[in-house]
Amino acid sequence: MNFPLFFRMRVAIFLSCLALIFSIASPRAEAAAARSGQVTHVMLFWLKRPGNIDDQNFLLRALRRLRRARGVNDVRIGRPLPVDRPGLEQSFDLGVVMTFRDREALEKFERDQRREQAIDAMLRPLVRQYTVYNFVNE
């Protein structure tokens, strides 16, 4: 079952507007080495239709827009790397690693109502489960 084009367009337009709002007065940061005090935010996503490349690509494009959010230093997005190693988690469909300048930047990002609405609009139709890990860089 493919999501109707109209729905995808509405979500894409909404996320574009959100990214524009986040990007106002926010310089795009180069991928920088993690500094002490920065926060790394890791998200793993399991799709409702596991392995569906169209859903992965749609989610991937939407997640790339998070690079423009204030306080975000870097965003890395990818698919699991198949490795023959027992106990290594590889069942997820997409992974995201975001680096924030500090804890306050992460907390502002997470509290922003527009972000919550965009994430819900994007995640609810596509994602069965996701998990988040946060840690402060030493």
Side-chain angles (χ1 to χ4, degrees):
M1 175 178 103
N2 283 330
F3 292 103
L5 179 61
F6 179 72
F7 173 78
R8 286 180 183 245
M9 287 175 53
R10 284 181 51 196
V11 171
I13 289 168
F14 182 75
L15 290 172
S16 294
C17 291
L18 178 66
L20 198 79
I21 290 167
F22 278 129
S23 68
I24 296 172
S26 173
R28 182 174 173 156
E30 294 294 322
R35 292 186 305 264
S36 180
Q38 286 184 327
V39 173
T40 298
H41 181 72
V42 179
M43 297 178 284
L44 301 178
F45 297 95
W46 287 263
L47 296 175
K48 289 181 179 178
R49 300 185 306 169
N52 184 291
I53 298 299
D54 289 336
D55 291 353
Q56 285 181 13
N57 288 337
F58 180 73
L59 186 58
L60 189 130
R61 284 189 304 273
L63 290 167
R64 283 185 182 140
R65 292 183 177 101
L66 297 175
R67 288 184 173 120
R68 299 182 205 147
R70 285 190 188 121
V72 173
N73 291 345
D74 191 29
V75 176
R76 305 288 172 110
I77 307 165
R79 294 173 175 90
L81 175 66
V83 178
D84 187 22
R85 189 167 143 203
L88 187 65
E89 175 57 65
Q90 300 178 67
S91 66
F92 61 97
D93 289 282
L94 279 178
V96 179
V97 177
M98 298 175 69
T99 307
F100 291 85
R101 76 174 164 261
D102 54 25
R103 181 183 186 140
E104 182 181 347
L106 171 66
E107 289 172 352
K108 273 186 177 177
F109 175 80
E110 289 182 330
R111 283 191 315 261
D112 192 290
Q113 195 68 4
R114 296 165 301 195
R115 181 209 60 96
E116 274 187 42
Q117 292 167 351
I119 296 290
D120 285 347
M122 177 179 55
L123 293 183
R124 194 170 288 134
L126 296 177
V127 175
R128 170 178 52 91
Q129 170 188 342
Y130 68 98
T131 190
V132 176
Y133 303 95
N134 293 315
F135 60 90
V136 64
N137 301 331
E138 296 290 323

